[in-house]
Amino acid sequence: MSYNNPTTGSGSGTARGRFEFGRTHVVRPKGKHQATIVWLHGLGDKGSSWSQLLETLPLPNIKWICPTAPSRPVALFGGFPCTAWFDMGDISEDAPDDMEGLDASAAHVANLLSTEPADIKLGVGGFSMGAATALYSATCRALGQYGNGNPYPVNLSAIVGLSGWLPCSRTLRNRMEGSHEAARHAASLPILLCHGSGDDVIAHKHGEKSAQTLSAAGFRNLMFRTYNGLGHYTIPEETDEVCAWLTASLGLEGSRSY
């Protein structure tokens, strides 16, 4: 059964004063608690939309935390406010990245995970803009710091991105080069990316390019799955794959080789 509780602060200090995160919805594990995953919704959505779906998945060992993004003006909509993990305009490599918003949301996610027991594996997943924030969190984990230089505090064991893209892709490889520790963290972090070939909101090419950029930067434990004809939504075939991949990657009870 899902329940609502107010979230704590973002832990960032950058956007806390300007944007307030919404309600967090938690789905408790039905079996032995082995992993906790923060799942991030897409632009204009809320945490409860995904908690209802995640509650139905056959993953009894996972606790799901589904926060709600702050409501903020979004350039893509001409400044009209809606729930968004960061500000964004067009999806392109030339578009500026909202570093302050990305750092604040990545810090909020890390803050939600930081109180989990030490023996619990931690992950971040999301859809669309939520997937972009999850991938940004993956780069923060590998580099050991947020874009603003503050230390990234949690150890991530799995990243899932559905119909998303990689923010800050232009600078990632340069930031990764020269750090053996970052390379080691990147190579050992399992990432699953799924994208529909018929996505008319975040084009398949953006997902594919993001996977290539991550691989080139040293994220070698990465799987990219294409779903023929799938638009900007999810289907049971995709969620089945996510379940199987998480079970294998996190070593959950009842896992079979994948």
Side-chain angles (χ1 to χ4, degrees):
M1 192 63 193
S2 300
Y3 68 94
N4 307 341
N5 65 307
T7 63
T8 53
S10 72
S12 151
T14 53
R16 282 171 90 174
R18 295 195 299 135
F19 301 118
E20 188 172 332
F21 289 85
R23 284 194 173 276
T24 296
H25 303 258
V26 177
V27 179
R28 297 281 177 195
K30 298 176 179 69
K32 179 185 175 184
H33 184 196
Q34 293 181 284
T36 297
I37 297 176
V38 171
W39 190 272
L40 305 170
H41 62 74
L43 182 64
D45 204 356
K46 55 188 178 181
S48 60
S49 299
W50 281 92
S51 67
Q52 292 166 14
L53 170 65
L54 296 170
E55 195 169 16
T56 68
L57 299 184
L59 293 169
N61 308 115
I62 294 181
K63 172 184 173 182
W64 299 96
I65 303 177
C66 303
T68 299
S71 183
R72 70 176 82 212
V74 175
L76 183 67
F77 299 145
F80 186 82
C82 68
T83 52
W85 300 110
F86 51 90
D87 190 17
M88 63 174 287
D90 292 332
I91 302 285
S92 74
E93 285 201 23
D94 301 322
D97 289 298
D98 173 20
M99 296 304 300
E100 186 178 357
L102 283 162
D103 277 346
S105 289
H108 185 64
V109 170
N111 190 50
L112 290 169
L113 290 170
S114 64
T115 55
E116 292 299 293
D119 61 336
I120 299 300
K121 292 181 178 178
L122 308 176
V124 186
F127 175 79
S128 194
M129 176 182 261
T133 308
L135 290 178
Y136 182 73
S137 296
T139 64
C140 292
R141 162 56 185 150
L143 293 162
Q145 62 182 24
Y146 298 102
N148 61 18
N150 291 340
Y152 188 78
V154 294
N155 179 23
L156 300 177
S157 297
I159 301 290
V160 178
L162 310 182
S163 308
W165 74 95
L166 174 67
C168 310
S169 59
R170 288 165 296 176
T171 59
L172 179 60
R173 197 166 180 177
N174 287 339
R175 294 182 69 203
M176 291 288 295
E177 283 177 355
S179 171
H180 294 299
E181 192 171 5
R184 184 169 57 85
H185 287 319
S188 64
L189 179 56
I191 300 176
L192 173 65
L193 300 180
C194 302
H195 218 112
S197 64
D199 195 325
D200 58 354
V201 178
I202 307 298
H204 179 269
K205 66 179 180 181
H206 293 306
E208 197 169 38
K209 182 70 186 297
S210 296
Q212 292 166 355
T213 300
L214 285 163
S215 296
F219 291 85
R220 297 192 193 96
N221 193 355
L222 183 149
M223 182 180 294
F224 182 76
R225 281 281 195 255
T226 296
Y227 292 84
N228 290 330
L230 179 65
H232 197 64
Y233 49 87
T234 189
I235 53 174
E237 182 187 353
E238 186 180 48
T239 53
D240 287 350
E241 181 130 32
V242 169
C243 289
W245 184 86
L246 283 172
T247 299
S249 297
L250 295 172
L252 302 178
E253 286 184 1
S255 66
R256 296 182 297 273
S257 59
Y258 179 55

